[in-house]
Amino acid sequence: MLLKGNKARFTVCVEGNIGSGKSTLLNHFSKFNDVEAFQEPVQKWQDVRGNNLLALMYEDPMRWAHTFQAYVQMTMVEQHLHPCSTPVKLLERSLYSGRYCFVENLYRSGKMTNAEYTVYCEWFKIITQNLDVGVDLIVYLQTDPEVLHTRIKERARSEEQAIPFQYLSDLHTLHEEWLMGPSSSLPAPVLVLDANDTLPNMYKKFEEHTSEILSGKL
Ligand code: DCP
């Protein structure tokens, strides 16, 4: 595939912890004519020439976290650079949450070595400084880890069934630090939506915030 660059006028990344409802938001807005939505390529991560890297990462993070995150980073570059024919490009997650939430968490909890973390971060720096991975708006689906824990059990994605509550709680803290704090690592302004709500109420919120989400304007 030829990566020709991002031609969309407005690029929005949807962020939030595991199970916060990012895919639901993307599915909702993908029905709009001027929006092209790019779902996170989880299936690619589950089958890298027959290797389920997502499962390996959860089973043995000390061995596989770096390999998995390096691959996620590569697929995220593809998403960021993928040509877009519509004015609005909607991305599920980004290079940035990989770096500032997941990898930071794996490093802080001792599941990535200092050497692995450094190599990953060097790649991140080269990519963000040299490629067109610009973002205009981040939509943050802010959700309590208790709610996520229940949702993850209900949706029963097999790789995720052993995720401990602490993992979700740590990831929540890092999303909050990155998106709600005085962060110098934010690539764009953040629109926060409380995503603890029921599905019908979330659809109402999407409707209320449509113009903000698709143009950054109230
Ligand atoms: N994941 C990870 N590291 C990343 C990105 C994702 O370990 N840099 C893992 C966490 C999940 C799976 O990949 O097990 C998918 O995570 P997401 O939170 O990105 O996607 P969901 O499918 O959970 O999104 P939602 O339920 O909000 O639609």
Side-chain angles (χ1 to χ4, degrees):
M1 182 188 37
L2 196 59
L3 300 175
K4 289 182 184 144
N6 174 12
K7 297 277 191 303
R9 282 201 294 274
F10 196 70
T11 300
V12 185
C13 293
V14 183
E15 300 284 4
N17 207 340
I18 303 168
S20 55
K22 298 176 292 297
S23 310
T24 308
L25 188 150
L26 257 84
N27 284 335
H28 174 80
F29 285 105
S30 64
K31 295 178 192 118
F32 289 56
N33 284 336
D34 47 358
V35 176
E36 193 171 355
F38 294 81
Q39 300 271 357
E40 196 174 42
V42 179
Q43 280 141 341
K44 266 195 182 179
W45 310 340
Q46 291 171 313
D47 185 9
V48 186
R49 293 216 187 155
N51 299 285
N52 185 341
L53 283 188
L54 181 67
L56 290 169
M57 194 264 310
Y58 280 122
E59 281 160 24
D60 187 358
M62 296 289 293
R63 169 66 184 84
W64 291 105
H66 179 260
T67 309
F68 174 71
Q69 293 299 338
Y71 190 67
V72 169
Q73 179 158 255
M74 191 208 81
T75 61
M76 281 297 165
V77 170
E78 280 183 331
Q79 301 283 73
H80 279 281
L81 298 186
H82 201 288
C84 179
S85 52
T86 56
V88 181
K89 182 175 187 179
L90 208 51
L91 290 178
E92 182 174 7
R93 286 206 180 280
S94 64
L95 272 170
Y96 301 93
S97 51
R99 162 70 185 85
Y100 295 114
C101 302
F102 286 93
V103 167
E104 199 57 33
N105 184 40
L106 290 162
Y107 176 57
R108 287 189 195 179
S109 60
K111 298 190 181 83
M112 271 170 87
T113 65
N114 185 265
E116 289 170 329
Y117 178 70
T118 305
V119 169
Y120 177 96
C121 292
E122 291 285 309
W123 267 111
F124 176 82
K125 210 157 93 187
I126 287 190
I127 291 164
T128 49
Q129 288 178 353
N130 293 285
L131 297 178
D132 178 13
V133 289
V135 177
D136 299 296
L137 178 73
I138 294 173
V139 178
Y140 175 30
L141 297 177
Q142 189 179 42
T143 321
D144 297 338
E146 291 80 6
V147 173
L148 299 171
H149 204 225
T150 311
R151 282 187 198 159
I152 290 168
K153 294 274 168 233
E154 280 168 7
R155 85 171 168 197
R157 190 183 271 158
S158 64
E159 295 90 345
E160 295 174 347
Q161 288 317 291
I163 294 182
F165 176 76
Q166 191 58 45
Y167 190 73
L168 294 173
S169 176
D170 292 344
L171 276 176
H172 176 70
T173 304
L174 283 162
H175 277 84
E176 291 284 303
E177 266 179 33
W178 174 48
L179 296 167
M180 305 298 283
S183 173
S184 54
S185 48
L186 267 177
V190 181
L191 168 69
V192 185
L193 299 183
D194 178 348
N196 290 301
D197 247 325
T198 59
L199 213 47
N201 283 343
M202 288 314 296
Y203 285 121
K204 274 188 211 148
K205 281 184 205 180
F206 298 161
E207 297 284 346
E208 278 162 27
H209 292 277
T210 297
S211 138
E212 239 174 315
I213 293 170
L214 301 185
S215 71
K217 294 180 198 122
L218 279 172

